[in-house]
Amino acid sequence: MPESNHNNPLGVRRSGVLLHPTSLPGPWSMGDLSHNAFRFVEFLQAAGQSIWQVLPLGPTHVDGCPYQCLSTHAGSNLLISLDWLADRGWLPVDIMHDCPPTREWRESVLETACKKALSRMDTAMRAGFDRFCRKQSYWLDDYARFIVLKQLYDNKPWTEWPQALRCCDRQAVDARLSEHAETLMIRKFEQFVFFEQWQELRQYAHQHGVFLFGDLPIFVSGDSADVWANRQYFSVDENGRASVVAGVPPDAFTEEGQRWGNPLYDWQRLKQDGFSWWLDRLRTQFELFDIVRIDHFRGLESYWEIPESSPTAMDGSWRKAPGAELLEAIQQEFNDLPLVAEDLGIITHAVDDLRRKFSLPGMKVLQFAFDGDVDNAHLPHNHTADMVAYTGTHDNDTTLSWYQSASAEEQHRVRSYLQCGDHSDLPWPMIRSAMMSVANTTILPMQDILGLGAGHRMNLPGTTTGNWSWRFDWSQLNDNHTNRLREITQTYSRLSAGPVQVAADAQPPGSLSLVSNGS
């Protein structure tokens, strides 16, 4: 069972900030778990915030999308702090001067550091690494094999590998990897380092009264270790090809819907195995996070099935999913987990009933509130305590840019509702309204706290380029932001109550802290 370290953090009034680690400042081409991550925790504490929400942390494909990862369990090696490695003597400090800001450079430097660390293992370090490998073996072994094979076959999807490897024939896989034992060990050690760095950050966050809030995509990428090694749980043939794929139907935002292309689940097989694959997913997530959002929660009640041959999502149809049985299995295995249901989009009474049956908070987004209907569920006066209120999410434009591009009628409704005749102060009136909400939890995108406009959104759904690259700079943040956020947080009874109290038996998955620097 995952380690439970406190009462449900969603049960009292609190607030936090949405910022993915890749959006942190720093010298490299993307943010990571270096010093700036710890500095961000300090900002959260100073501003009275007690939640840091992030996107999925997994290793991404070249497009950088964290919702289509190479593994549902692994951490991204690109998030690993190189400074942390240098502090331990595994990298020369000068190697990071005048470096090219490329993915290939980071991966090469990381491999160099891991080789050095593995060659200098002492007894304590070996014990910590071995303990990690045993504990995480339920996913780590397959992940390491998958990544090394991908490298051997020029990063091609596994569906294009030789047949025996494509079918995950263990004898053939072991034979192909027989000369790559060191590389397999490096891939595992990278995960050891990632988990250790994340646990250090998590413990620092807890000391500063901050809970970590993660995100679990409901579906997984077809080109992933998960599908390759567990194809029996997915709607794919022996070659990994799917006849139907996932997505969402057309709505007010996308005329053709969204064709995500993920393989769908073989729910019958998952049920036969007691949903063990899903339980393993949750086990990993709650070793990393204190709260987890289930993305596209409505897919646990019914999912949109699209013929693989269809170029859009328009030709799909709804299919029932055994969400209640899955959630019962999760509840039986883990008791009361702090889960949040992402229930945006086309939501039926059946989806609402499923969420309420298991007492999961839903989401309300203020940017969706101003269509002129006073009964709009996203308007703050219609919120309930079992909600997480947002000004916007990672899929929305910044609140300022959203307002500036809205129609004159919608802008008028915003000003009228927020009572901000002079709208030059936006998005702060929207922030205040989200903080006033009776919803127990309020989350604000960092872009809104900084008052950023067009050009600063994280993702535009339905597009595949230009996303996931937004970053902020410390020069954009000043004491006025911090003090103003703290004051409004205190006004609406959301201030942090102090350090997070962890259970006495809580242990990190690894123990690099046992290793002396440079050993």
Side-chain angles (χ1 to χ4, degrees):
M1 291 180 60
E3 295 144 356
S4 176
N5 58 10
H6 42 66
N7 294 326
N8 191 330
L10 300 171
V12 299
R13 286 179 68 80
R14 62 176 75 249
S15 59
V17 177
L18 170 60
L19 181 86
H20 197 48
T22 59
S23 295
L24 288 164
W28 318 119
S29 56
M30 57 182 277
D32 57 25
L33 305 183
S34 295
H35 309 301
N36 286 295
F38 293 80
R39 184 177 173 185
F40 187 71
V41 168
E42 293 166 0
F43 156 71
L44 292 173
Q45 182 190 42
Q49 306 309 295
S50 54
I51 297 176
W52 179 1
Q53 183 173 354
V54 302
L55 309 183
L57 298 176
T60 67
H61 294 80
V62 293
D63 63 359
C65 176
Y67 292 88
Q68 297 280 357
C69 289
L70 294 163
S71 169
T72 191
H73 298 278
S76 172
N77 59 350
L78 298 179
L79 288 175
I80 290 174
S81 166
L82 299 183
D83 294 328
W84 191 94
L85 300 172
D87 289 345
R88 281 150 182 79
W90 300 339
L91 280 178
V93 176
D94 58 4
I95 198 173
M96 293 180 283
H97 295 317
D98 301 321
C99 59
T102 65
R103 179 179 184 138
E104 293 74 18
W105 179 86
R106 281 193 70 115
E107 290 177 337
S108 174
V109 168
L110 178 59
E111 182 146 342
T112 298
C114 290
K115 281 183 180 180
K116 189 169 186 178
L118 287 166
S119 70
R120 300 169 68 172
M121 277 190 178
D122 62 12
T123 303
M125 181 177 181
R126 168 58 70 181
F129 180 43
D130 289 347
R131 185 163 53 251
F132 173 82
C133 291
R134 286 194 304 271
K135 185 174 182 180
Q136 308 298 333
S137 61
Y138 63 94
W139 64 269
L140 183 62
D141 295 342
D142 286 330
Y143 171 74
R145 295 185 187 105
F146 176 80
I147 294 298
V148 175
L149 285 171
K150 253 184 110 61
Q151 292 170 331
L152 291 175
Y153 290 99
D154 301 320
N155 207 38
K156 292 179 180 178
W158 63 267
T159 53
E160 298 178 19
W161 297 351
Q163 185 175 9
L165 303 179
R166 193 166 63 231
C167 294
C168 201
D169 180 290
R170 289 311 168 101
Q171 186 174 355
V173 169
D174 289 344
R176 183 66 179 88
L177 296 175
S178 61
E179 298 180 358
H180 300 278
E182 182 186 38
T183 309
L184 285 167
M185 192 68 69
I186 289 171
R187 297 291 86 84
K188 292 182 181 181
F189 193 78
E190 286 175 349
Q191 290 304 305
F192 179 40
V193 171
F194 172 87
F195 272 72
E196 180 66 16
Q197 288 189 6
W198 184 262
Q199 289 300 329
E200 289 184 6
L201 179 62
R202 185 182 184 189
Q203 290 167 13
Y204 193 76
H206 287 173
Q207 292 165 6
H208 288 73
V210 175
F211 295 96
L212 297 183
F213 185 176
D215 203 357
L216 181 69
I218 187 172
F219 298 115
V220 299
S221 170
D223 186 22
S224 67
D226 310 290
V227 180
W228 173 69
N230 303 279
R231 75 189 62 202
Q232 69 271 23
Y233 298 133
F234 298 90
S235 59
V236 297
D237 62 21
E238 65 275 9
N239 295 311
R241 295 184 176 88
S243 59
V244 289
V245 296
V248 290
D251 57 22
F253 302 98
T254 53
E255 292 182 1
E256 296 183 343
Q258 296 180 46
R259 185 189 184 280
W260 296 334
N262 306 72
L264 295 168
Y265 293 113
D266 183 339
W267 282 111
Q268 186 61 36
R269 180 59 186 273
L270 285 164
K271 285 171 60 177
Q272 290 173 359
D273 288 352
F275 300 105
S276 59
W277 184 85
W278 265 92
L279 298 180
D280 284 342
R281 290 188 84 189
L282 269 295
R283 188 169 288 108
T284 303
Q285 292 301 302
F286 278 95
E287 287 188 353
L288 298 172
F289 302 110
D290 306 299
I291 310 165
V292 172
R293 184 187 85 140
I294 301 177
D295 187 45
H296 193 59
F297 175 81
R298 76 101 59 240
L300 294 184
E301 190 281 324
S302 294
Y303 55 90
W304 189 248
E305 181 183 273
I306 307 166
E308 197 283 331
S309 58
S310 177
T312 73
M314 299 177 69
D315 297 329
S317 57
W318 290 110
R319 296 285 187 267
K320 284 291 183 182
E325 294 169 78
L326 170 61
L327 290 169
E328 285 170 0
I330 292 171
Q331 194 172 69
Q332 185 173 15
E333 179 76 6
F334 302 125
N335 298 320
D336 294 324
L337 290 181
L339 293 171
V340 172
E342 185 273 288
D343 56 347
L344 306 175
I346 302 173
I347 301 302
T348 64
H349 290 301
V351 177
D352 278 335
D353 290 344
L354 180 64
R355 180 183 66 78
R356 292 192 179 100
K357 179 179 180 180
F358 293 91
S359 302
L360 304 184
M363 291 175 56
K364 298 303 173 194
V365 180
L366 268 64
Q367 287 188 25
F368 297 155
F370 300 98
D371 60 359
D373 180 0
V374 296
D375 294 324
N376 185 312
H378 295 277
L379 283 168
H381 70 261
N382 292 322
H383 292 183
T384 55
D386 62 334
M387 292 291 161
V388 182
Y390 293 78
T391 50
T393 75
H394 67 277
D395 282 334
N396 295 98
D397 203 348
T398 70
T399 293
L400 180 58
S401 180
W402 161 80
Y403 174 83
Q404 291 172 337
S405 61
S407 67
E409 292 79 10
E410 190 170 20
Q411 288 183 351
H412 173 74
R413 288 193 290 268
V414 171
R415 295 195 302 273
S416 177
Y417 189 89
L418 301 179
Q419 288 294 290
C420 55
D422 178 5
H423 59 271
S424 62
D425 196 32
L426 280 170
W428 281 94
M430 188 85 98
I431 291 173
R432 180 177 295 277
S433 188
M435 288 290 202
M436 289 174 63
S437 167
V438 297
N440 276 342
T441 309
T442 292
I443 301 291
L444 308 170
M446 188 63 178
Q447 294 97 315
D448 286 355
I449 294 169
L450 297 175
L452 300 179
H456 294 277
R457 74 182 297 163
M458 188 63 163
N459 179 49
L460 180 61
T463 64
T464 57
T465 59
N467 298 317
W468 317 114
S469 60
W470 177 77
R471 302 177 71 182
F472 86 95
D473 189 87
W474 290 116
S475 64
Q476 297 171 304
L477 182 66
N478 56 47
D479 289 344
N480 181 56
H481 296 106
T482 304
N483 295 335
R484 190 173 188 180
L485 184 55
R486 185 178 184 88
E487 180 182 3
I488 202 171
T489 303
Q490 184 172 20
T491 297
Y492 297 109
S493 301
R494 296 186 183 275
L495 269 186
S496 171
V500 174
Q501 299 300 314
V502 299
D505 61 349
Q507 296 291 331
S511 188
L512 268 177
S513 58
L514 296 175
V515 184
S516 59
N517 290 355
S519 62

